Amino acid sequence: VANTIRTYPVSSELYQKVASCAKKHAVTKFQVFFAAASMTVGQYCGSEDVVLGIPKNIRDEKTRNTVGMFVNMLPVRSKPVQEKSVSEYLKEISDSVKEAASHSDCSFEMMVEALCTEKDSSHHPIFDVSLNMLNMKSHHVVGDIEMKMTIDQQVLGTDLQIYIEHGESDSKVMIQYSSELFDQMVIDNFAEQFFSVLEKITEEADLTIRQALELPEAQKQVLAQFNETEQDYEKTDIVT
């Protein structure tokens, strides 16, 4: 389960790029973040078939005034094929998220029963990574009472939980992960790749997914240093 959290700031310039990209392609900001996250997860898993979980508010007219949490977790399948264009992929993501939302009244228990023939309590039955975007005010004032909203760390059933939090003054990405599965360095590298993908797809949608997933410069340098195996050696005559 995810029990450790890392937080990364999102610059106002990058968030504005995401908003502009969403408007240009007639998708939501959440769907742009979803595209970048699914591409990065696919790259790390070596797969072009990725399923991420997303929360969906299922409160309706009947439950509008009922106290409680009416949220269903929905699996969204995406296929970040490397030769596909980013613009095409954004359209696919938009359609997939809408399709999943149209079935939000399907209970999670029903999905597990239908999809999981073998149950294993050591991991989530349908997806291992989930994504959530929170647009929230950090402060609320009611009369003389001032309330500050915070997100407490929770023990979750997935191995990796990605939060995008957009507040009044700043934005950030929080990655909650299982420390039994991932080292902190792996999560930091994952976040660096995620931000690199986000920058590229919001600047040039004509890129292919392969181009958008090119390693960040810092990781290229680490890889180059790792592969530097040339060494000087004493040159002598060969005796046969």
Side-chain angles (χ1 to χ4, degrees):
V1 294
N3 56 9
T4 308
I5 195 164
R6 295 282 289 167
T7 302
Y8 309 90
V10 178
S11 68
S12 57
E13 293 81 8
L14 178 55
Y15 192 86
Q16 186 54 50
K17 285 181 182 179
V18 171
S20 298
C21 177
K23 184 176 181 180
K24 177 181 178 182
H25 295 279
V27 299
T28 65
K29 293 188 286 291
F30 173 78
Q31 289 163 2
V32 175
F33 281 113
F34 186 102
S38 59
M39 288 163 62
T40 307
V41 170
Q43 175 80 341
Y44 269 69
C45 295
S47 174
E48 294 181 337
D49 192 350
V50 176
V51 177
L52 301 186
I54 64 170
K56 174 63 178 175
N57 180 9
I58 57 172
R59 188 182 291 274
D60 55 21
E61 290 297 328
K62 295 180 181 179
T63 57
R64 181 175 297 278
N65 298 317
T66 305
V67 176
M69 186 175 181
F70 294 82
V71 174
N72 200 4
M73 291 298 294
L74 306 175
V76 179
R77 190 177 191 179
S78 58
K79 296 191 175 182
V81 177
Q82 299 240 330
E83 300 310 318
K84 190 178 295 180
S85 72
V86 169
S87 57
E88 180 185 356
Y89 188 58
L90 284 170
K91 176 64 169 58
E92 289 183 4
I93 292 299
S94 178
D95 292 342
S96 296
V97 171
K98 291 175 183 176
E99 176 71 14
S102 70
H103 300 289
S104 59
D105 57 344
C106 177
S107 71
F108 185 74
E109 290 76 15
M110 288 177 60
M111 285 190 284
V112 172
E113 193 67 30
L115 299 174
C116 302
T117 55
E118 297 182 6
K119 297 180 181 179
D120 185 348
S121 60
S122 66
H123 61 81
H124 195 282
I126 299 179
F127 47 80
D128 294 316
V129 182
S130 56
L131 178 72
N132 193 8
M133 184 171 180
L134 306 167
N135 290 292
M136 57 190 294
K137 294 182 178 180
S138 57
H139 290 82
H140 292 264
V141 178
V142 180
D144 297 330
I145 302 175
E146 181 178 352
M147 297 176 288
K148 184 176 182 180
M149 304 296 291
T150 59
I151 299 176
D152 295 330
Q153 180 175 324
Q154 302 176 16
V155 177
L156 303 173
T158 54
D159 297 331
L160 197 70
Q161 169 77 45
I162 305 170
Y163 292 103
I164 296 98
E165 182 182 325
H166 179 56
E168 296 169 302
S169 57
D170 62 353
S171 302
K172 56 189 173 184
V173 169
M174 294 175 289
I175 301 180
Q176 192 168 334
Y177 64 97
S178 171
S179 58
E180 295 180 357
L181 296 176
F182 306 107
D183 291 333
Q184 180 181 310
M185 182 179 68
V186 173
I187 299 301
D188 288 341
N189 287 341
F190 177 91
E192 185 179 18
Q193 178 82 67
F194 170 74
F195 280 110
S196 174
V197 170
L198 201 56
E199 286 275 6
K200 289 173 183 173
I201 68 175
T202 55
E203 288 178 352
E204 190 176 349
D206 291 334
L207 291 175
T208 63
I209 289 177
R210 183 188 301 278
Q211 292 170 320
L213 285 170
E214 186 177 336
L215 278 178
E217 195 58 41
Q219 293 185 25
K220 282 184 181 179
Q221 292 177 5
V222 171
L223 187 62
Q225 291 172 1
F226 180 81
N227 288 325
E228 284 181 358
T229 57
E230 293 184 3
Q231 292 187 9
D232 293 332
Y233 63 93
E234 184 178 352
K235 297 180 179 179
T236 59
D237 294 334
I238 297 176
V239 178
T240 59

PDB file of all heavy atoms in Angstrom, residues 54 74-76 95-104:
ATOM      1  N   ILE A  54      -9.347   6.514 -11.417  1.00  0.00           N
ATOM      2  CA  ILE A  54      -9.707   7.904 -11.146  1.00  0.00           C
ATOM      3  C   ILE A  54     -10.961   7.934 -10.273  1.00  0.00           C
ATOM      4  O   ILE A  54     -11.826   7.068 -10.396  1.00  0.00           O
ATOM      5  CB  ILE A  54      -9.953   8.724 -12.436  1.00  0.00           C
ATOM      6  CG1 ILE A  54     -11.166   8.181 -13.213  1.00  0.00           C
ATOM      7  CG2 ILE A  54      -8.713   8.731 -13.317  1.00  0.00           C
ATOM      8  CD1 ILE A  54     -11.613   9.075 -14.347  1.00  0.00           C
ATOM      9  N   LEU A  74     -12.968   4.580 -10.712  1.00  0.00           N
ATOM     10  CA  LEU A  74     -13.192   4.045 -12.049  1.00  0.00           C
ATOM     11  C   LEU A  74     -11.866   3.706 -12.723  1.00  0.00           C
ATOM     12  O   LEU A  74     -10.940   4.513 -12.707  1.00  0.00           O
ATOM     13  CB  LEU A  74     -13.937   5.065 -12.909  1.00  0.00           C
ATOM     14  CG  LEU A  74     -15.252   5.619 -12.358  1.00  0.00           C
ATOM     15  CD1 LEU A  74     -15.781   6.700 -13.296  1.00  0.00           C
ATOM     16  CD2 LEU A  74     -16.273   4.502 -12.186  1.00  0.00           C
ATOM     17  N   PRO A  75     -11.761   2.547 -13.349  1.00  0.00           N
ATOM     18  CA  PRO A  75     -10.560   2.238 -14.133  1.00  0.00           C
ATOM     19  C   PRO A  75     -10.675   2.871 -15.525  1.00  0.00           C
ATOM     20  O   PRO A  75     -11.715   2.766 -16.179  1.00  0.00           O
ATOM     21  CB  PRO A  75     -10.580   0.708 -14.223  1.00  0.00           C
ATOM     22  CG  PRO A  75     -12.028   0.343 -14.103  1.00  0.00           C
ATOM     23  CD  PRO A  75     -12.688   1.396 -13.263  1.00  0.00           C
ATOM     24  N   VAL A  76      -9.616   3.531 -15.959  1.00  0.00           N
ATOM     25  CA  VAL A  76      -9.585   4.133 -17.298  1.00  0.00           C
ATOM     26  C   VAL A  76      -8.408   3.527 -18.057  1.00  0.00           C
ATOM     27  O   VAL A  76      -7.258   3.662 -17.636  1.00  0.00           O
ATOM     28  CB  VAL A  76      -9.446   5.672 -17.234  1.00  0.00           C
ATOM     29  CG1 VAL A  76      -9.396   6.254 -18.647  1.00  0.00           C
ATOM     30  CG2 VAL A  76     -10.595   6.279 -16.443  1.00  0.00           C
ATOM     31  N   ASP A  95     -11.975  10.808 -24.655  1.00  0.00           N
ATOM     32  CA  ASP A  95     -13.061   9.855 -24.917  1.00  0.00           C
ATOM     33  C   ASP A  95     -13.094   8.752 -23.862  1.00  0.00           C
ATOM     34  O   ASP A  95     -14.181   8.346 -23.406  1.00  0.00           O
ATOM     35  CB  ASP A  95     -12.887   9.224 -26.308  1.00  0.00           C
ATOM     36  CG  ASP A  95     -13.100  10.221 -27.439  1.00  0.00           C
ATOM     37  OD1 ASP A  95     -13.709  11.285 -27.191  1.00  0.00           O
ATOM     38  OD2 ASP A  95     -12.638   9.947 -28.569  1.00  0.00           O
ATOM     39  N   SER A  96     -11.917   8.277 -23.440  1.00  0.00           N
ATOM     40  CA  SER A  96     -11.855   7.181 -22.462  1.00  0.00           C
ATOM     41  C   SER A  96     -12.363   7.622 -21.093  1.00  0.00           C
ATOM     42  O   SER A  96     -13.080   6.877 -20.418  1.00  0.00           O
ATOM     43  CB  SER A  96     -10.420   6.659 -22.337  1.00  0.00           C
ATOM     44  OG  SER A  96      -9.978   6.085 -23.553  1.00  0.00           O
ATOM     45  N   VAL A  97     -11.974   8.837 -20.688  1.00  0.00           N
ATOM     46  CA  VAL A  97     -12.421   9.354 -19.388  1.00  0.00           C
ATOM     47  C   VAL A  97     -13.934   9.563 -19.389  1.00  0.00           C
ATOM     48  O   VAL A  97     -14.636   9.222 -18.430  1.00  0.00           O
ATOM     49  CB  VAL A  97     -11.688  10.664 -19.036  1.00  0.00           C
ATOM     50  CG1 VAL A  97     -12.308  11.327 -17.802  1.00  0.00           C
ATOM     51  CG2 VAL A  97     -10.205  10.397 -18.784  1.00  0.00           C
ATOM     52  N   LYS A  98     -14.455  10.105 -20.483  1.00  0.00           N
ATOM     53  CA  LYS A  98     -15.907  10.309 -20.587  1.00  0.00           C
ATOM     54  C   LYS A  98     -16.646   8.969 -20.586  1.00  0.00           C
ATOM     55  O   LYS A  98     -17.706   8.838 -19.968  1.00  0.00           O
ATOM     56  CB  LYS A  98     -16.233  11.086 -21.863  1.00  0.00           C
ATOM     57  CG  LYS A  98     -15.778  12.542 -21.848  1.00  0.00           C
ATOM     58  CD  LYS A  98     -16.026  13.201 -23.195  1.00  0.00           C
ATOM     59  CE  LYS A  98     -15.505  14.632 -23.212  1.00  0.00           C
ATOM     60  NZ  LYS A  98     -15.648  15.251 -24.554  1.00  0.00           N
ATOM     61  N   GLU A  99     -16.097   7.991 -21.291  1.00  0.00           N
ATOM     62  CA  GLU A  99     -16.721   6.663 -21.350  1.00  0.00           C
ATOM     63  C   GLU A  99     -16.764   6.033 -19.964  1.00  0.00           C
ATOM     64  O   GLU A  99     -17.786   5.460 -19.554  1.00  0.00           O
ATOM     65  CB  GLU A  99     -15.940   5.770 -22.310  1.00  0.00           C
ATOM     66  CG  GLU A  99     -16.432   4.336 -22.399  1.00  0.00           C
ATOM     67  CD  GLU A  99     -17.777   4.206 -23.104  1.00  0.00           C
ATOM     68  OE1 GLU A  99     -18.213   5.184 -23.757  1.00  0.00           O
ATOM     69  OE2 GLU A  99     -18.395   3.135 -22.980  1.00  0.00           O
ATOM     70  N   ALA A 100     -15.650   6.157 -19.222  1.00  0.00           N
ATOM     71  CA  ALA A 100     -15.609   5.602 -17.867  1.00  0.00           C
ATOM     72  C   ALA A 100     -16.619   6.311 -16.966  1.00  0.00           C
ATOM     73  O   ALA A 100     -17.330   5.677 -16.178  1.00  0.00           O
ATOM     74  CB  ALA A 100     -14.203   5.730 -17.292  1.00  0.00           C
ATOM     75  N   ALA A 101     -16.700   7.643 -17.093  1.00  0.00           N
ATOM     76  CA  ALA A 101     -17.623   8.421 -16.258  1.00  0.00           C
ATOM     77  C   ALA A 101     -19.075   8.061 -16.534  1.00  0.00           C
ATOM     78  O   ALA A 101     -19.919   8.130 -15.636  1.00  0.00           O
ATOM     79  CB  ALA A 101     -17.396   9.913 -16.482  1.00  0.00           C
ATOM     80  N   SER A 102     -19.362   7.659 -17.772  1.00  0.00           N
ATOM     81  CA  SER A 102     -20.747   7.306 -18.118  1.00  0.00           C
ATOM     82  C   SER A 102     -21.196   6.025 -17.420  1.00  0.00           C
ATOM     83  O   SER A 102     -22.382   5.725 -17.366  1.00  0.00           O
ATOM     84  CB  SER A 102     -20.886   7.144 -19.640  1.00  0.00           C
ATOM     85  OG  SER A 102     -20.209   5.984 -20.102  1.00  0.00           O
ATOM     86  N   HIS A 103     -20.229   5.266 -16.885  1.00  0.00           N
ATOM     87  CA  HIS A 103     -20.555   4.032 -16.161  1.00  0.00           C
ATOM     88  C   HIS A 103     -20.237   4.167 -14.673  1.00  0.00           C
ATOM     89  O   HIS A 103     -19.993   3.165 -13.988  1.00  0.00           O
ATOM     90  CB  HIS A 103     -19.765   2.857 -16.745  1.00  0.00           C
ATOM     91  CG  HIS A 103     -20.047   2.594 -18.194  1.00  0.00           C
ATOM     92  ND1 HIS A 103     -21.246   2.068 -18.628  1.00  0.00           N
ATOM     93  CD2 HIS A 103     -19.299   2.795 -19.300  1.00  0.00           C
ATOM     94  CE1 HIS A 103     -21.227   1.949 -19.951  1.00  0.00           C
ATOM     95  NE2 HIS A 103     -20.050   2.392 -20.388  1.00  0.00           N
ATOM     96  N   SER A 104     -20.255   5.392 -14.173  1.00  0.00           N
ATOM     97  CA  SER A 104     -19.856   5.627 -12.785  1.00  0.00           C
ATOM     98  C   SER A 104     -20.804   4.998 -11.772  1.00  0.00           C
ATOM     99  O   SER A 104     -20.445   4.813 -10.606  1.00  0.00           O
ATOM    100  CB  SER A 104     -19.743   7.132 -12.516  1.00  0.00           C
ATOM    101  OG  SER A 104     -20.983   7.777 -12.757  1.00  0.00           O
TER     102      SER A 104
END
